[in-house]
Amino acid sequence: MDVAISEADNRKEINFKSDNWRLIEIVSLMGTHFTNRAYTSDGEPVSFPYGEIEPAVVHCLGDYIDFHVEKSSGKKLQLTLHENLMNADVTMLITVGNEYSQQQIKLLLAPTSKYQIDSVVYKWEEL
């Protein structure tokens, strides 16, 4: 399954037929470095893989990437892009499944608006 997220359409929801799956892994296919902070809906830290039916949020944060993956219920996975400051699309691979089968979701994060400097003002007396 392929999912694309952009700045204009920054939230996607994936629905599953059953609720006996778990979030197993999130990796970058492009060598983009980021850290995962994973926690339950109560704010308690958790680690991969989550238990089946267990709601959780994974905040993926790097120097140029900011997005999160939320398992809000047993049948829903919500993907939200906050920022991709790279000059190109970033491809992530999210693995979900249970003890019988696994599925990979290919997530494409489009670049978001970059910070631009409009002008520079010098105060010569302060230099």
Side-chain angles (χ1 to χ4, degrees):
M1 171 186 295
D2 292 354
V3 177
I5 300 179
S6 66
E7 186 172 20
D9 187 18
N10 72 332
R11 185 172 290 182
K12 297 283 181 161
E13 187 173 278
I14 299 170
N15 293 302
F16 296 93
K17 293 179 184 176
S18 65
D19 64 357
N20 67 337
W21 61 277
R22 63 180 164 231
L23 188 57
I24 297 171
E25 182 179 51
I26 301 173
V27 295
S28 170
L29 295 180
M30 313 205 34
T32 307
H33 298 288
F34 62 91
T35 58
N36 289 333
R37 286 186 295 137
Y39 45 92
T40 65
S41 55
D42 298 331
E44 295 297 319
V46 292
S47 60
F48 288 109
Y50 302 126
E52 295 175 5
I53 307 173
E54 180 182 359
V57 176
V58 180
H59 190 178
C60 303
L61 186 62
D63 291 337
Y64 303 103
I65 299 291
D66 183 2
F67 73 98
H68 78 262
V69 177
E70 180 177 356
K71 183 181 176 187
S72 56
S73 72
K75 294 187 177 185
K76 292 183 183 180
L77 185 67
Q78 190 170 60
L79 311 168
T80 306
L81 171 65
H82 299 287
E83 202 167 53
N84 173 10
L85 296 178
M86 303 291 285
N87 290 327
D89 294 339
V90 172
T91 305
M92 308 298 291
L93 197 60
I94 302 172
T95 305
V96 297
N98 55 31
E99 62 185 70
Y100 304 107
S101 69
Q102 290 185 0
Q103 178 181 357
Q104 293 184 328
I105 301 166
K106 188 176 179 183
L107 176 62
L108 186 71
L109 304 172
T112 55
S113 299
K114 301 193 178 28
Y115 302 100
Q116 296 179 350
I117 298 174
D118 294 330
S119 66
V120 176
V121 177
Y122 293 101
K123 293 184 179 181
W124 294 107
E125 62 277 357
E126 293 182 17
L127 292 176

